[in-house]
Amino acid sequence: MDQGGCRLNGGGGHSQGSEDNRPGMGSQSGMITLEDLESFSEDQLSDSGNGSLEEGETMEEDDDENQDRLLHYWQDVARGHRVEVPGDMAEPIQQLTSNNNGTHTRERVPFSLITRKEKCGDVHYEKRHYEKAYWACITVSEETYEQSICYGFMRIMRYICQQNATGNYLGMTLPIVTVVRTDETRRDLVRSVTVGYFLPERHQAQPPRPMDSDITIEEWSAAIIYSRAFTGPTNEVTIMSEIQAMAEALDTPDETVNDTFIIAGYTNPAHANRQNEIWFMEKN
């Protein structure tokens, strides 16, 4: 698998070494996760499989039945994007949802706001500073962008849930980001994308080693990010449109990296009003 690497700036990320080099460290909008997976209680399925339970209702079924229900729901959602969710995803899906239960908050990637460009009350973009931090990343190259983020995040999800050196649930963070790259003409996206998961604060000092050898723990350097919010689905067409819109909104677009961009997803990609951001990275 192509290991393109994650980065928050023009210089690329720094992969951690093996356990011999760093004690305890390893070498190593998906379409069906985020809000739905960790806050399933907010969007439960009815007995028919396509509705929702009213607030306060509970599902009277054993763990196996609930696990099957969750799996089948996500398999149905994913098929709409030509993605197959394998049966072994049933446990990670259930684990992410059960670990919420109203007790786990989603940790946000911290940043400092530098400035905000507004016009007529509308925010055109924000300029932010992100500190150096560790991210778990995987680079995939499927036929479509949607397939890449689906398959990439399913593997990240396994890492979050249990397939890590601790054997425990690590906790959900937002946004889940996807690093995309354009070709030389800046008209099309290249097929290889990188899905990134910010390690929760309690794991930043010593990130758990992934069991999946294709997942890398990378240290992303501190960076200046220009962020612009947008709603709706994320695919090749909408991403290229948002890249163009952001380039036009920036006062000094030449000061940003012009071939690598980040899509940040904050809400369930299956929702019609999905909350996203396009990130431009300031050059070093």
Side-chain angles (χ1 to χ4, degrees):
M1 179 173 291
D2 176 22
Q3 294 294 313
C6 302
R7 57 180 180 174
L8 265 185
N9 55 41
H14 302 288
S15 298
Q16 288 182 249
S18 65
E19 293 182 339
D20 293 337
N21 295 328
R22 293 179 65 90
M25 312 295 273
S27 62
Q28 225 344 17
S29 47
M31 200 47 60
I32 57 167
T33 53
L34 304 182
E35 295 287 331
D36 278 340
L37 284 178
E38 207 192 14
S39 58
F40 184 70
S41 60
E42 299 170 8
D43 192 20
Q44 295 277 14
L45 299 178
S46 70
D47 289 340
S48 64
N50 56 12
S52 62
L53 292 175
E54 296 297 327
E55 185 176 357
E57 288 187 77
T58 58
M59 299 177 69
E60 296 180 357
E61 56 190 351
D62 60 31
D63 287 344
D64 288 341
E65 290 174 340
N66 188 44
Q67 191 174 95
D68 288 343
R69 181 191 291 266
L70 283 164
L71 175 64
H72 293 154
Y73 173 64
W74 288 111
Q75 286 175 331
D76 289 343
V77 172
R79 287 191 189 102
H81 305 284
R82 293 187 295 163
V83 171
E84 292 298 323
V85 179
D88 65 1
M89 286 300 299
E91 186 173 353
I93 289 172
Q94 185 185 39
Q95 191 168 10
L96 269 182
T97 58
S98 64
N99 267 290
N100 188 31
N101 284 336
T103 61
H104 290 269
T105 59
R106 298 173 192 84
E107 185 176 327
R108 296 295 183 111
V109 180
F111 67 86
S112 299
L113 180 63
I114 299 174
T115 188
R116 178 183 290 123
K117 181 181 179 180
E118 297 179 290
K119 185 176 182 180
C120 299
D122 294 330
V123 177
H124 282 215
Y125 65 83
E126 290 183 344
K127 184 178 181 180
R128 306 168 177 173
H129 178 266
Y130 285 83
E131 296 289 350
K132 178 175 64 176
Y134 286 109
W135 294 68
C137 307
I138 186 166
T139 299
V140 292
S141 182
E142 298 294 336
E143 183 178 348
T144 68
Y145 170 83
E146 292 175 326
Q147 290 174 327
S148 292
I149 61 174
C150 283
Y151 288 123
F153 194 76
M154 277 193 281
R155 295 174 73 174
I156 290 289
M157 185 162 61
R158 292 187 181 103
Y159 167 70
I160 294 171
C161 288
Q162 199 170 40
Q163 291 185 15
N164 59 73
T166 71
N168 298 321
Y169 173 69
L170 301 181
M172 189 64 185
T173 63
L174 293 175
I176 294 296
V177 303
T178 309
V179 183
V180 299
R181 301 164 184 85
T182 60
D183 59 17
E184 294 180 357
T185 66
R186 198 170 167 177
R187 295 178 180 175
D188 297 298
L189 297 178
V190 299
R191 290 179 59 181
S192 178
V193 303
T194 300
V195 179
Y197 157 73
F198 176 82
L199 272 297
E201 190 62 36
R202 65 183 180 276
H203 295 300
Q204 282 289 321
Q206 192 172 16
R209 175 177 53 83
M211 299 303 181
D212 186 335
S213 61
D214 286 326
I215 296 177
T216 62
I217 300 298
E218 299 192 7
E219 184 180 42
W220 290 14
S221 301
I224 301 297
I225 296 294
Y226 295 85
S227 173
R228 176 184 171 91
F230 68 99
T231 59
T234 54
N235 53 47
E236 288 89 340
V237 174
T238 60
I239 290 172
M240 292 306 301
S241 176
E242 292 301 327
I243 289 174
Q244 180 64 31
M246 180 62 149
E248 293 175 357
L250 289 174
D251 295 322
T252 54
D254 291 342
E255 295 180 3
T256 61
V257 178
N258 63 7
D259 62 352
T260 303
F261 311 92
I262 294 177
I263 309 301
Y266 290 87
T267 52
N268 163 33
H271 288 174
N273 197 38
R274 183 186 180 189
Q275 303 301 306
N276 316 287
E277 290 174 345
I278 179 76
W279 290 1
F280 278 37
M281 298 163 282
E282 189 169 271
K283 293 178 181 177
N284 291 334

